[in-house]
Amino acid sequence: MNSSIRSKQIIIIGAVLLLVAFLFTRDIKGLVKPTEENGKMPASGQMAGAETPSTSSVLSIETSSIAAKNVLNKNLATDITALENSYKGANGTEKIELAKQLAQKWDDVEQITPSALYLEVVAQSEPSTKTWVAAGNKFIKAFESTQDSLAQPALLQKANTSYKNALEKDSTNIEAKTGLGVTIVNGLGAPMQGIAILLEVVAKEPKNVKANMNLGIFSIKSGQFDKAIPRFNTVIATSPTPEAYFYLGTALENLGRNKEAVDAYLNSKKLAADPTLSSFIDRKVTELKNKN
C-alpha cells in the first residue's frame, strides 16, 4: 500500500473517531447557552471546565514515549528506544538531527504527541517560522486526536505558544495566524478574538480549509447554524471530508432542512466508510425521513 493511500486512510479513521466521540459525548444543541440574542459565546480565558496544570507536569517526552510504546509492537518499540537512547547521549547538531528522526519515526507509527514534542525540541534549537509552525500543527493534531482531558489543554497551550513564536518571526504568516486563531477559539482566550483572527485569514484566503472549518464549527457551537453552512460548503468544495459533511448535516438538520441534511450525512458516511459511524448515520437518516 503506498504512503499516500495509507495517509488518507489514517485521516479518515481519525475523522471517524473524532466524529463518533463528538456524537456520543455531546448534545450539539446544548453545547452552548448563548448569552446574547445573536448566540455569541461568552469570553473565556481557558477551556471551559478544564483545569490548567503546567504543561510540563502533563506532557513530557519521557511519559509520552512510554504511553505511545504501549500500543506498538515490540520490534517497533525497541527500534525507537534505541534511537531515543542515542538522542539522550548526543549533543549539539547530532542531538537535533536525532530529534528530527524521532519526530518522523513517531509520526510514521501514528503517535502524534511524542512526534509533536520532538518537533518542539527542533524548533527551540532551530527557531524559524517553518519549525514553529510544524510544531504547532502537530500539537493541534494531537489535541484533536486525543480523548485525554488532562492532555488536551496542555497540547492546546503548546500549539498556541508555537504559533505565537512563529508569528514573532513572521507576523504575516497565514498558517501561523490560522493556527493561533484555532487555539483561541478552542479555549485559549476570548473566542471572538480567535474568530477575528480566522476572519482575517479568510479575507485574505477565502478558501482556507482550516479557517473555514473552525469558523463553521464555532457557528454550530454558538447556535448560528445559518452561518455554519457556507463555511462547510467552502471546505467541501476545496477538500471534502467526513467531518465537513457531517457538520454540514448537523447545521442543516438544526434549521429543519432535513432532506439536505440527509444528503450531507450520507456523503459523510460514504467518505468515512466506518461501520460505527455508518450505523449512527443510518439511524439519523431514518429519523429525519420520518419527520418529512
Side-chain angles (χ1 to χ4, degrees), residues 14-83:
V16 170
L17 291 174
L18 286 172
L19 286 169
V20 172
F22 187 87
L23 290 170
F24 290 105
T25 60
R26 295 172 184 169
D27 175 359
I28 291 172
K29 292 182 182 178
L31 274 174
V32 174
K33 295 180 175 61
T35 56
E36 302 175 18
E37 287 185 359
N38 62 7
K40 291 181 181 179
M41 291 180 68
S44 172
Q46 65 183 56
M47 295 179 72
E51 298 291 335
T52 54
S54 70
T55 55
S56 61
S57 69
V58 176
L59 290 177
S60 72
I61 285 175
E62 291 76 15
T63 57
S64 297
S65 173
I66 291 169
K69 286 173 189 173
N70 286 334
V71 300
L72 299 182
N73 69 49
K74 186 177 180 180
N75 289 337
L76 284 173
T78 299
D79 289 345
I80 290 176
T81 297
L83 196 58

Side-chain angles (χ1 to χ4, degrees), residues 82-96:
L83 196 58
E84 287 181 327
N85 288 336
S86 297
Y87 167 80
K88 291 173 184 175
N91 293 295
T93 302
E94 181 187 5
K95 194 176 187 74
I96 302 311

Side-chain angles (χ1 to χ4, degrees), residues 96-241:
I96 302 311
E97 288 305 310
L98 286 167
K100 292 177 183 178
Q101 291 179 40
L102 281 161
Q104 185 60 57
K105 192 78 170 179
W106 281 119
D107 195 47
D108 288 343
V109 295
E110 303 156 33
Q111 297 301 313
I112 306 169
T113 296
S115 177
L117 290 167
Y118 278 110
L119 286 177
E120 182 183 42
V121 169
V122 173
Q124 289 168 341
S125 300
E126 298 180 350
S128 67
T129 301
K130 182 178 179 180
T131 57
W132 279 118
V133 166
N137 287 347
K138 196 66 69 175
F139 279 124
I140 277 289
K141 188 175 180 181
F143 164 76
E144 292 173 342
S145 300
T146 186
Q147 298 301 312
D148 185 334
S149 60
L150 288 179
Q152 282 178 334
L155 290 164
L156 196 64
Q157 181 62 66
K158 281 186 172 290
N160 180 274
T161 299
S162 297
Y163 291 127
K164 285 179 177 177
N165 288 338
L167 288 168
E168 285 181 4
K169 300 292 182 182
D170 178 6
S171 62
T172 65
N173 186 274
I174 289 293
E175 196 170 3
K177 278 188 176 182
T178 304
L180 182 64
V182 170
T183 64
I184 294 172
V185 168
N186 276 284
L188 289 184
M192 297 314 295
Q193 178 189 359
I195 293 299
I197 294 173
L198 295 177
L199 288 173
E200 181 183 340
V201 168
V202 295
K204 293 180 179 179
E205 291 187 358
K207 296 182 180 180
N208 187 290
V209 170
K210 185 181 288 186
N212 275 292
M213 188 71 180
N214 280 273
L215 285 167
I217 292 172
F218 183 86
S219 294
I220 283 182
K221 289 182 177 181
S222 57
Q224 301 176 88
F225 303 108
D226 56 332
K227 291 185 178 181
I229 291 170
R231 298 298 179 190
F232 296 127
N233 280 332
T234 296
V235 172
I236 289 166
T238 306
S239 179
T241 63

